[in-house]
Amino acid sequence: MSTCRIAAVLLIICTVGFMSGTAGANSEYKENQLQNGVREMFEARALAIITGADPAPALTFYETSETLGLWAQIHERERLDYVQQWANKRGVHFTEAKSSLSIPWYRMEGNYAELLVNETLQLGYVYPGSPTVNRFGTGSRHWLKLVCRGSKWLILQDFYTDGLGDNFQVPNPTPADSAAVVGQLGKRPAAKNSTPVVFDREGAVRYADKYAGLAWGAGNDNSYNRNYRDFNDRGGDCANFVSQCLGDQDGGKMVMDDLWYYDRQENAGSQSWVRAESFGDWILYSGRGRRLARGTFSELNQPTSKFPGGAARELAPGDVIGYGETGYSRHLAIVVGTDSQGYPLVNAHNVDRYHCPWDMGYDKTTVFHLYQVND
């Protein structure tokens, strides 16, 4: 592998808040061994993302004689294959992968360990002939179960949702066939408001960047806004996050109404605030926005007579993308800008994303809903 395609991989293990059922020097040795084992696992995963890298080292950290361990390995192999396919089809090369870890809790018993691991992942890609590195981030929360075989920790279970290869429609998503840059570049909308201000696009983007959670690049110490309930354990936080970006007074300042609101006394949002499909209906029928276009990636990325640069390139920072089926959205993300070639970037929750390419992780059959928010 040439040096220009080798990533520097930074793994930071945070031991604050650890719990252990053993004590003494032997316990400390096992803790260090466990930390090193987890570090090596995620280091190998990060290196395998680099375009053209060999995935084999990353796939050796699984106990495949156990069903869940085998499933975890299959998922990782499919995930890495998806990323390589995506880069190849979009005409880019991944050149950087940097991963930071925190382990807020774990327990050990003999040769077995159970952990909660939070990963903050930074990735960088380039277009051929361009020196500009386009960096974006994701964040993932892992529930790991490990077993120590000899001196090596192996994965018995790894439950998590990932921003690089998960899709709610198919178990093994395949990226659509199309380069990121198709035809002319089209316009590059800026997050600027005309007067009078009904929706503060710049504010919405600042809010989205601040509260993008575990994703690399996010502010607020990689934490959500604690003034709102986290709905990740209640079906997902994506619509709640987009609604915050649009409606919070530190964000887009969009005025709430009888259908779209957050009740601070109840610490809960309306259906249109917290559910992606309900938000899609509300943004259309309330007059707060319109559906610019709807279709698969190939349909929205291709130049047409109506959209010479492709419909997706008509989106401005502060607009919203829905992901799902023809009739409705099952996931939402907010547009925050473009990369060096005008490719739209989004922020989202579950999975936490920061300036991530807008189609990353989704299948060729996914239907995207492009919502333009009215200024």
Side-chain angles (χ1 to χ4, degrees):
M1 185 182 305
S2 63
T3 56
C4 65
R5 292 165 56 191
I6 296 178
V9 181
L10 172 65
L11 271 295
I12 304 173
I13 302 296
C14 177
T15 59
V16 177
F18 269 53
M19 297 176 60
S20 175
T22 58
N26 185 53
S27 172
E28 183 177 355
Y29 171 78
K30 286 185 175 180
E31 287 181 7
N32 291 334
Q33 186 188 45
L34 178 63
Q35 292 175 43
N36 289 335
V38 173
R39 175 185 58 79
E40 290 170 1
M41 292 173 191
F42 283 87
E43 178 178 343
R45 289 184 181 187
L47 284 172
I49 293 172
I50 303 304
T51 297
D54 181 4
L59 300 177
T60 62
F61 289 92
Y62 296 85
E63 179 50 272
T64 57
S65 65
E66 299 288 341
T67 300
L68 292 182
L70 176 61
W71 288 356
Q73 187 197 59
I74 292 172
H75 177 271
E76 184 64 16
R77 182 169 62 245
E78 292 175 346
R79 168 182 180 265
L80 293 172
D81 181 61
Y82 176 94
V83 175
Q84 298 293 334
Q85 286 189 57
W86 184 90
N88 180 61
K89 292 181 178 183
R90 300 298 173 264
V92 302
H93 289 81
F94 281 102
T95 59
E96 295 181 1
K98 300 179 183 180
S99 179
S100 298
L101 303 180
S102 66
I103 305 177
W105 175 88
Y106 88 95
R107 64 183 178 188
M108 296 175 60
E109 185 174 347
N111 290 328
Y112 293 87
E114 184 174 1
L115 312 89
L116 298 179
V117 178
N118 297 331
E119 182 188 30
T120 295
L121 180 65
Q122 174 192 335
L123 296 173
Y125 63 90
V126 298
Y127 288 91
S130 172
T132 302
V133 179
N134 300 277
R135 296 182 176 92
F136 70 96
T138 67
S140 55
R141 300 165 178 84
H142 298 252
W143 176 21
L144 282 168
K145 290 185 179 179
L146 309 177
V147 61
C148 188
R149 301 296 193 208
S151 60
K152 186 173 184 177
W153 286 94
L154 300 177
I155 296 172
L156 292 170
Q157 166 195 298
D158 186 7
F159 292 158
Y160 73 105
T161 304
D162 177 59
L164 298 180
D166 277 324
N167 181 271
F168 41 70
Q169 289 183 277
V170 292
N172 182 21
T174 301
D177 296 328
S178 184
V181 179
V182 180
Q184 58 181 313
L185 286 178
K187 68 177 185 179
R188 305 178 103 201
K192 299 294 183 182
N193 296 298
S194 57
T195 56
V197 174
V198 177
F199 172 50
D200 183 355
R201 291 185 177 273
E202 293 173 295
V205 171
R206 286 195 303 269
Y207 187 100
D209 285 350
K210 182 175 181 179
Y211 295 112
L214 282 176
W216 169 86
N220 201 44
D221 294 325
N222 290 112
S223 298
Y224 291 178
N225 188 341
R226 300 187 187 280
N227 291 324
Y228 296 89
R229 177 175 291 182
D230 179 355
F231 288 91
N232 274 313
D233 60 351
R234 297 172 177 83
D237 199 61
C238 64
N240 181 38
F241 176 62
V242 168
S243 291
Q244 290 174 41
C245 294
L246 270 57
D248 192 273
Q249 287 304 297
D250 289 333
K253 304 177 182 64
M254 185 180 289
V255 178
M256 299 180 192
D257 59 26
D258 291 340
L259 294 178
W260 180 74
Y261 62 86
Y262 193 86
D263 188 329
R264 297 205 178 277
Q265 288 187 333
E266 297 293 331
N267 196 26
S270 66
Q271 290 295 300
S272 298
W273 186 280
V274 301
R275 290 175 59 86
E277 54 267 39
S278 299
F279 176 93
D281 290 338
W282 170 81
I283 197 74
L284 296 178
Y285 297 115
S286 66
R288 303 295 186 93
R290 70 185 185 98
R291 185 187 285 117
L292 176 71
R294 174 176 58 193
T296 63
F297 174 84
S298 297
E299 293 168 339
L300 301 179
N301 194 54
Q302 293 294 327
T304 65
S305 57
K306 184 177 181 180
F307 304 117
R313 290 178 182 269
E314 297 293 317
L315 294 170
D319 287 336
V320 177
I321 299 179
Y323 304 75
E325 302 169 0
T326 300
Y328 59 90
S329 302
R330 299 177 63 184
H331 176 66
L332 297 175
I334 183 169
V335 178
V336 293
T338 63
D339 70 6
S340 63
Q341 294 297 313
Y343 201 65
L345 306 175
V346 298
N347 286 14
H349 279 184
N350 73 303
V351 176
D352 296 349
R353 293 176 169 96
Y354 175 91
H355 290 230
C356 183
W358 68 282
D359 67 300
M360 172 60 73
Y362 291 94
D363 187 64
K364 60 185 178 182
T365 63
T366 299
V367 175
F368 302 88
H369 301 248
L370 310 184
Y371 298 112
Q372 271 192 338
V373 180
N374 292 336
D375 288 326

